[in-house]
Amino acid sequence: MAHTQIWQTQDGKLNPLVEAYTVGDDYILDAALAKYDVKASLAHAKMLHSMKILSDDDMASIKEGLSQLARQIDNKEFIIEPSQEDCHTAIEEFLTEKYGDVGKKIHTGRSRNDQSMVMMRLYMKDIFENTQQVLNRLVKTYEETSKKYSNIAMPGYTHMQKAMPTSVGVWLGAYKEGFSDVSELVSHTKKYIDQNPLGSASGFGISNFAMDRDITTKDLDFAKTQDNPMYCGYSRGLFENVVLQALSPAMIISAKFANDMLLFTTSDFDFLALPPEFTTGSSIMPQKRNYDVFEIMRGNTKVYHSLQQQIQDIILGIGGGYQRDLQLTKKPFINAIEICKSTLDLLTLMVPKIIVNKNKLDAAMTDDLFVTNKVYDLVNSGMTFRDAYSKVKKQYFS
Amino acid sequence: MAHTQIWQTQDGKLNPLVEAYTVGDDYILDAALAKYDVKASLAHAKMLHSMKILSDDDMASIKEGLSQLARQIDNKEFIIEPSQEDCHTAIEEFLTEKYGDVGKKIHTGRSRNDQSMVMMRLYMKDIFENTQQVLNRLVKTYEETSKKYSNIAMPGYTHMQKAMPTSVGVWLGAYKEGFSDVSELVSHTKKYIDQNPLGSASGFGISNFAMDRDITTKDLDFAKTQDNPMYCGYSRGLFENVVLQALSPAMIISAKFANDMLLFTTSDFDFLALPPEFTTGSSIMPQKRNYDVFEIMRGNTKVYHSLQQQIQDIILGIGGGYQRDLQLTKKPFINAIEICKSTLDLLTLMVPKIIVNKNKLDAAMTDDLFVTNKVYDLVNSGMTFRDAYSKVKKQYFS
Amino acid sequence: MAHTQIWQTQDGKLNPLVEAYTVGDDYILDAALAKYDVKASLAHAKMLHSMKILSDDDMASIKEGLSQLARQIDNKEFIIEPSQEDCHTAIEEFLTEKYGDVGKKIHTGRSRNDQSMVMMRLYMKDIFENTQQVLNRLVKTYEETSKKYSNIAMPGYTHMQKAMPTSVGVWLGAYKEGFSDVSELVSHTKKYIDQNPLGSASGFGISNFAMDRDITTKDLDFAKTQDNPMYCGYSRGLFENVVLQALSPAMIISAKFANDMLLFTTSDFDFLALPPEFTTGSSIMPQKRNYDVFEIMRGNTKVYHSLQQQIQDIILGIGGGYQRDLQLTKKPFINAIEICKSTLDLLTLMVPKIIVNKNKLDAAMTDDLFVTNKVYDLVNSGMTFRDAYSKVKKQYFS
Amino acid sequence: MAHTQIWQTQDGKLNPLVEAYTVGDDYILDAALAKYDVKASLAHAKMLHSMKILSDDDMASIKEGLSQLARQIDNKEFIIEPSQEDCHTAIEEFLTEKYGDVGKKIHTGRSRNDQSMVMMRLYMKDIFENTQQVLNRLVKTYEETSKKYSNIAMPGYTHMQKAMPTSVGVWLGAYKEGFSDVSELVSHTKKYIDQNPLGSASGFGISNFAMDRDITTKDLDFAKTQDNPMYCGYSRGLFENVVLQALSPAMIISAKFANDMLLFTTSDFDFLALPPEFTTGSSIMPQKRNYDVFEIMRGNTKVYHSLQQQIQDIILGIGGGYQRDLQLTKKPFINAIEICKSTLDLLTLMVPKIIVNKNKLDAAMTDDLFVTNKVYDLVNSGMTFRDAYSKVKKQYFS
């Protein structure tokens, strides 16, 4: 069957170049998001049912249709055509083909704007829940590995030069605390986005159609209804940005860890290693064992933030009212979330496998690391700090 | 007196080009921050006093010296020399010049790293408190102005084309809700940064020197001590970034409002205006009244995010352990905060002054805005939504 | 057949999560680039042949094999397995499977580093050539359309307020000049990248293997050999960035045009329009005709620059010597090029179709646009400019 | 004397908050640029003189006044008041105060738009000329230092792991080639911006006033007149961006060098060092010698690109016609140029001072670096590359 856009103009087809340019990858991206659309569509149908827009029979058909769709999505059998543009149209067409007039009623009281937004909002809530679990696992991993190596001394560096003594345990413990704080930040930020935009339609509600938006709020387990319909529209892209910002510290801390690992696994430092299953080789140099995984991690933290900034740039350029470039925020959002998830999963896998080269670390605990302790021996014996510092410095450089 | 860096090497002076390149503007920026350094230095002195590092007399001198410094800072009389690099050195030198050995003791148990961090942390807490007050005032302003114009109809736009009817009240109300949510986000995020880094020294504590860091935590009213000393170091730049991210939605929403105002004040729309005190003229065109203020606002929201991203880029590039580029995060942070504050203040000033051109708005409420209502009249009389949509569309385009 | 990485370690398989994380999309992206790899591989083989590393028979086999590959690529029948990582490995494996030992010789004197770089370099040269053609067509389109409407008056705006009279022809002519200058910039920048990196191997050449790199330079029509092998490596990402920077003005000017079109097609301005084949509709508002295509264009110019910046961020973070995050520059580069190409193609298609609403433009030529001309009438009659300005201003506002 | 904006509205003063927000730092930034404004103003006066708008006496006064201003600027005695907004107003007011009516004529035929643009354009041309000289010096420095150390072996790294042998000479030679290519790119890009915008006024020319713009083009030594007046306006920000893009590779290569230096000067590598005049110390650790200068350089390359992107973000957001946010492009442009210049100057100073630790480098030339050479010994004796690779690999890992 030849699908068409539901808004198809009377006077002819959309130019194919314009269609390709404006539809973009949405019909592919939506395959992953469609389950949230189905969930929200069911809640919307329940509200229409309570208003008698949908009869009991209609409601039964829609329940059946949507649960069938949910299964298709789970089995990756649900395919959206480019000409359908997005899952919103595909769902309506599925219901109409199968149940006739019932399908033609499902879009009552909503627009693709709020339909898309509520879908994304449910996805965001899932992201926050999942990421918190991932983060908590990762925190536990760092904590355990940190304890395991708490007694192994390690040089502390500032400016990439030996500074003062520390331990592998303290070093890993810093990452534990960092990721633990992100988990808190995520749980706070969740409150910001936990608002139901469904029923705001195109950003103006519908003045001659009475809906009780709180019905879908409750059914979809939102903390509250996002009242002002224009504000619902304003939050598109903005909320995506806030979600990525909340996860940003996790990526920044991952970058720091990757940088540390890349330095400490050089043959010149040789403090740490990973088993061969985590390293790669070279097409011409037989001897190589490379820690590419941390290089990609380092790069991915930049890709993540660039995707976040893509969203920011887009939303900074426009006034109120839905504009189509907002659609372009979907792809970088999904990609960024995937990068974040795979990075945290990989860390959880690798951190416990770190091999600590105690001999090399011991050899690296050279005298210069303890110079500041000499200053404090003098402080402890009554000398002022600055005099002690100057005295030790004079000795050191003479 | 010729000041010198407190870490001055034995064997000669720092090359002046290197000094200029590495010190940057810190000695200027710190003038605004020094009051937080003084506050934290006093708390640090109290801890040293409790440890008997400072005698009762020492403590009295330091109290006197620091309160004198605080007054100088308030009166903008406190000047930091480039050769002193930052306010940390300047404060120690002030105390030493005035009280001799007492000054040489104040740096005991701390490094410029944690001294700088605790200063910034106190500044951040102040920012969050102030911004919340500013935001709350702004929310109230939008709310009142929204109520004032709740009955004035206004075309709702999507894709910059007339879509459906709305009102000036709903439009302003969207901004009220947006800024109100930011205020919530700020109050949540405050918990993330409310940790005391003082006593972490250079990121490794000091193993042969026992300090009770909770003393300064209590004295400076932090929610907790940031335990792991390396994590204290990791949070440099990272926390600055999180603060700017929390305020980012305020800037994004300001950009949206500026974009709306620029459109609605064109002579072609002419829905809104501001009194002459808010508009500027041209050097060659006598008739001009320009809304530059919203153009600068639009631009400033981009500058703000670019400054935030500057911090992000810097911290993404480095591993654990203090590295000097972290110092470069100070300037964009302070500048971004100033942009945010002045933008919100200006909105608070201008929003109540908006002039609504009711005649023009009425004339703009053309029939096309009500086409969707015709669809819903049919829906209300029992037609399915999609059939109603098609029927109205056919009529409209024939 | 089960493919394996050519660098496969002796002691076991790469962890599948690490493989997925590090290989990324390269095996998909390379499908579009493989033809350049084939071309460079043929040149490389000729050099090996001239050195007698390849016999005449070897050379014949490789020629046959590579031309067969080239056909497969053209027909989109060439498939790279994720486990092969990239087209470089796939090509070697293809030749080895088909011709035995000959395939095992093709990698002599090169590494995947220089193989990948020369492939990208040839792609870049193609991009510049194609884009220049596209730009020249676009310049011609703007020029013709500009001439067509050279006599239709149009208000000139500054600060989004009416400023002085101009014409549709001058407005379109500005775009013509803008794109024309980009074409020049592209032709200059081509010289920067026109250097052959093949033979630099992993960035260090091969000290006990003598190659005449100028042979491939001539065969592949490069302006010169990129001598220093480490510099070849440094140019990875850097040259990609320079290519995207050279095209950046084209995207910036497209954004400007899109912004102009979005303003001038609002029903409130209504100066310009496009035929229905270029506009889209709404899922709930039957009357809508939206210029989404310009909203997506506006958004795409931001995506383009964000992709460019992704490359920049990655290369700014690393020292000399190949590091794996450089691989992440490939995807944003290809995506950005596609965005640029489709944007310019679309403009070429749409600009001649612009509908000029002369009546609306005439009505918009209000008196305020001519106030500055009154000033100049006074100047032409001998008054100083500033006095004339003041006099006219006083009249205007009284 | 109380200065006022030359466009001062009839009906009262600009609100001071709006004034502070919109004027920004322009009155400070312009102090450095005013000499270009004076130069262009003189050329403009000559054109007005040729048109008889200025009498011979007028012209003599203006010549005298402008050369006096030029001296004041050189001696840093020229001060612009915030209320004057910019140097354009300050120059007109200076001439009017001193010579009466003559000053009131100087703005004839121009606007602050083209006056500001021609000033910036002259500044850009100077930047390109100066930077090319700086780059050429730097290239020579790298070349000489590279030759000096051409025979000192150095491990080549990929993935931060030892790869193959190279030399200090090759390593430094890579930077020589990199900076040399930038110098070429700069000379090509100069052609793009070498266009005279003076006379385009506010972007629309002046229809009832005839000017020969080629007079100022010749006098100011521009390659051509930028014809279309709207395109002149479009190039604001755009040309600044292109200038920064052309210098971007210099900053990227500097970042790479800084990263290399930071790694090779760690005590764990210890390949290279700099004399104490280039290193700094610590406020608590007496033994420290830090290479902060390269950390700041690494950070500054990010700041540079963030400033470039600030300009990009601003210009991407607006349609044709001057809008005030374009003014915000001035500050990041000037700051970025200063960062670039000081970075290149510092490299020129430091590169010849690099201390090469031959003993450490010799010790680092371990066997693994020569494994690939073993492969090529087998290739040279007739084995296929891939078989040789496999054989050597088997031996290495057994």
Side-chain angles (χ1 to χ4, degrees), chain C residues 6 13 17 47 67 70 73 79 92 98 116 145 201 204 208-209 214 244 251 255 277 313 319 321 331 334 363 366:
Chain C
I6 48 180
K13 283 232 162 277
L17 275 188
M47 190 207 63
S67 68
I73 293 163
I79 284 146
E92 179 173 332
K98 210 172 157 86
S116 176
T145 318
F204 313 104
N208 59 334
F209 186 71
D214 290 340
L244 294 185
M251 294 308 287
E277 58 164 325
D313 284 353
K331 189 177 174 177
I334 294 174
T366 45

Side-chain angles (χ1 to χ4, degrees), chain A residues 117-128:
Chain A
M117 266 191 295
V118 72
M119 173 182 83
M120 292 303 287
R121 207 63 61 87
L122 292 170
Y123 173 47
M124 288 176 202
K125 288 182 69 175
D126 250 25
I127 289 166
F128 271 159

Side-chain angles (χ1 to χ4, degrees), chain D residues 323-384:
Chain D
Q323 300 184 40
R324 187 73 178 265
D325 19 10
L326 290 171
Q327 171 196 288
L328 294 174
T329 61
K330 202 191 272 183
K331 189 177 175 180
F333 182 67
I334 294 173
N335 288 352
I337 291 300
E338 279 165 6
I339 286 173
C340 179
K341 204 190 159 314
S342 59
T343 299
L344 299 179
D345 282 345
L346 212 51
L347 284 175
T348 312
L349 176 71
M350 293 190 300
V351 167
K353 305 287 180 71
I354 291 173
I355 297 160
V356 174
N357 193 343
K358 194 175 177 313
N359 290 343
K360 283 282 185 172
L361 281 163
D362 283 349
M365 296 303 293
T366 46
D367 287 351
D368 46 345
L369 286 163
F370 298 92
V371 171
T372 307
N373 293 100
K374 283 187 196 156
V375 175
Y376 275 92
D377 285 341
L378 293 174
V379 166
N380 284 330
S381 70
M383 194 178 283
T384 70

Side-chain angles (χ1 to χ4, degrees), chain B residues 104-154:
Chain B
K104 295 180 176 177
K105 293 179 187 170
I106 187 73
H107 209 56
T108 317
R110 74 179 183 191
S111 166
R112 282 187 300 173
N113 285 306
D114 57 337
Q115 189 179 355
S116 177
M117 268 190 294
V118 72
M119 172 182 83
M120 292 304 286
R121 207 65 60 86
L122 292 171
Y123 174 48
M124 289 176 201
K125 289 181 67 174
D126 250 26
I127 290 165
F128 271 157
E129 211 148 302
N130 293 339
T131 316
Q132 247 182 312
Q133 289 171 14
V134 173
L135 281 168
N136 294 346
R137 264 199 303 276
L138 183 56
V139 166
K140 216 168 153 241
T141 298
Y142 270 109
E143 192 169 24
E144 288 166 0
T145 318
S146 162
K147 275 185 190 150
K148 191 168 152 196
Y149 298 121
S150 63
N151 292 323
I152 299 190
M154 185 184 211

Side-chain angles (χ1 to χ4, degrees), chain A residues 307-352:
Chain A
L307 294 169
Q308 184 227 309
Q309 189 219 326
Q310 216 173 95
I311 294 173
Q312 225 169 59
D313 284 352
I314 289 168
I315 56 179
L316 273 171
I318 54 189
Y322 179 70
Q323 301 183 40
R324 187 75 176 265
D325 21 9
L326 289 171
Q327 172 197 287
L328 294 175
T329 62
K330 203 191 272 182
K331 188 176 175 179
F333 182 68
I334 294 174
N335 288 351
I337 291 299
E338 279 164 8
I339 286 174
C340 179
K341 204 191 158 311
S342 60
T343 299
L344 299 179
D345 282 345
L346 211 51
L347 284 174
T348 313
L349 176 70
M350 294 191 299
V351 167

Side-chain angles (χ1 to χ4, degrees), chain D residues 155-287:
Chain D
Y157 291 80
T158 62
H159 304 283
M160 299 189 71
Q161 298 293 332
K162 282 182 184 173
M164 288 171 72
T166 188
S167 73
V168 176
V170 170
W171 170 66
L172 289 169
Y175 291 104
K176 182 223 127 191
E177 290 203 18
F179 285 114
S180 170
D181 274 2
V182 182
S183 177
E184 289 292 309
L185 186 63
V186 162
S187 89
H188 293 318
T189 310
K190 204 158 57 181
K191 292 168 196 156
Y192 180 81
I193 59 150
D194 200 1
Q195 311 186 34
N196 179 23
L198 188 59
S200 60
S202 297
F204 313 104
I206 301 156
S207 54
N208 60 334
F209 186 71
M211 286 185 288
D212 182 357
R213 292 179 55 198
D214 292 339
I215 293 175
T216 58
T217 299
K218 267 174 217 152
D219 192 74
L220 294 169
D221 196 28
F222 279 108
K224 65 171 174 175
T225 302
Q226 193 172 13
D227 273 330
N228 185 301
M230 288 191 91
Y231 177 50
C232 293
Y234 290 10
S235 54
R236 188 144 179 187
L238 179 61
F239 279 26
E240 279 82 348
N241 202 35
V242 168
V243 170
L244 294 185
Q245 285 180 335
L247 298 173
S248 152
M251 293 309 284
I252 290 170
I253 295 167
S254 300
K256 214 173 258 301
F257 185 69
N259 275 309
D260 275 357
M261 286 303 293
L262 286 168
L263 189 66
F264 294 153
T265 55
T266 56
S267 60
D268 308 81
F269 276 79
D270 202 17
F271 293 168
L272 305 171
L274 278 176
E277 60 165 323
F278 298 107
T279 62
T280 61
S282 153
S283 73
I284 71 160
M285 296 172 283
Q287 87 282 7

Side-chain angles (χ1 to χ4, degrees), chain A residues 6-9 11-18 21-23 85 107 110-113 201-202 204-206 251 259 262 276-285 288-289 292-303 306-307 309-310 313-318 322-325 327-328 331 335 339 342-343 345-346 349-350 353, chain C residues 6-9 11-18 21-23 85 107 110-113 201-202 204-206 251 259 262 276-285 288-289 292-303 306-307 309-310 313-318 322-325 327-328 331 335 339 342-343 345-346 349-350 353:
Chain A
I6 48 181
W7 48 263
Q8 191 63 56
T9 53
D11 33 23
K13 284 233 161 276
L14 187 60
N15 184 292
L17 274 188
V18 175
Y21 194 74
T22 53
V23 171
E85 294 189 303
H107 209 56
R110 74 179 182 189
S111 166
R112 283 188 300 172
N113 284 306
S202 296
F204 313 103
I206 301 156
M251 293 309 284
N259 275 310
L262 285 169
E277 60 164 325
F278 298 108
T279 61
T280 60
S282 153
S283 73
I284 70 159
M285 297 172 281
K288 291 282 271 176
R289 283 239 186 113
D292 303 36
V293 65
F294 291 113
E295 292 172 328
I296 294 288
M297 189 174 289
R298 185 178 54 180
N300 268 345
T301 63
K302 287 164 189 164
V303 175
S306 148
L307 294 169
Q309 189 219 326
Q310 216 173 95
D313 284 352
I314 289 168
I315 56 179
L316 273 171
I318 54 189
Y322 179 70
Q323 301 183 40
R324 187 75 176 265
D325 21 9
Q327 172 197 287
L328 294 175
K331 188 176 175 179
N335 288 351
I339 286 174
S342 60
T343 299
D345 282 345
L346 211 51
L349 176 70
M350 294 191 299
K353 304 287 179 72
Chain C
I6 48 180
W7 48 263
Q8 190 64 53
T9 54
D11 33 23
K13 283 232 162 277
L14 187 61
N15 184 292
L17 275 188
V18 175
Y21 194 73
T22 54
V23 172
E85 294 189 301
H107 209 56
R110 73 178 183 190
S111 166
R112 283 188 299 173
N113 285 307
S202 296
F204 313 104
I206 301 157
M251 294 308 287
N259 275 309
L262 285 168
E277 58 164 325
F278 299 107
T279 62
T280 61
S282 153
S283 73
I284 71 162
M285 297 172 282
K288 290 282 271 175
R289 283 240 185 115
D292 303 37
V293 64
F294 292 113
E295 293 172 329
I296 294 287
M297 190 174 290
R298 184 177 57 180
N300 268 346
T301 63
K302 288 163 187 164
V303 175
S306 148
L307 293 170
Q309 189 218 327
Q310 217 174 92
D313 284 353
I314 288 168
I315 57 178
L316 273 171
I318 53 186
Y322 179 71
Q323 301 184 40
R324 187 76 176 264
D325 19 11
Q327 172 197 290
L328 295 174
K331 189 177 174 177
N335 288 352
I339 287 173
S342 60
T343 300
D345 281 345
L346 212 51
L349 176 71
M350 295 189 300
K353 305 288 180 69

